[in-house]
Amino acid sequence: TAVRQTGWAARPGLRSELHPLHGLAEAPVLPPAPTAYGPAATPALTGTTADPSGDLFVCLARLTDADAPPLHTLASVDVTDHEVTVSWPDGTVHRARVTPAGVAVESLPPDAR
């Protein structure tokens, strides 16, 4: 089954970004669509479900100023099975575990992995 993750339709002066991390790949930007500020293009990622027990799709998403540093430079991410660990530039680390019971998120000591 095909999967599509879309970002925000950004008005001029803003940038909508998606950065695929696990299970997703870059896709063509969606055609401009009407918004309250005029037509805006929307970024998209695509993937495919394959595992009958469940699939994990992970991306970074951001709506920001056009001059902001690229999204892919802002976090280091490790994905294993159904666990995602994100390390941010300030040393903050968060880990999310996806289980049948739900998602558990924990903060780890700075620079932990």
Side-chain angles (χ1 to χ4, degrees):
T1 303
V3 174
R4 180 169 70 178
Q5 172 68 50
T6 60
W8 294 273
R11 64 178 170 81
L14 293 178
R15 186 170 70 218
S16 178
E17 296 177 284
L18 292 174
H19 179 57
L21 299 171
H22 184 78
L24 296 166
E26 296 284 345
V29 172
L30 300 177
T35 71
Y37 300 101
T42 305
L45 303 173
T46 59
T48 304
T49 59
D51 186 344
S53 65
D55 291 286
L56 180 62
F57 300 96
V58 181
C59 71
L60 295 178
R62 176 173 73 170
L63 180 62
T64 188
D65 293 333
D67 298 334
L71 182 59
H72 72 273
T73 67
L74 299 182
S76 171
V77 180
D78 292 316
V79 180
T80 57
D81 291 325
H82 289 93
E83 183 175 283
V84 179
T85 303
V86 181
S87 300
W88 301 98
D90 67 358
T92 303
V93 178
H94 293 94
R95 180 173 293 142
R97 287 187 182 94
V98 181
T99 68
V103 178
V105 178
E106 63 182 322
S107 294
L108 303 173
D111 299 315
R113 292 206 113 196

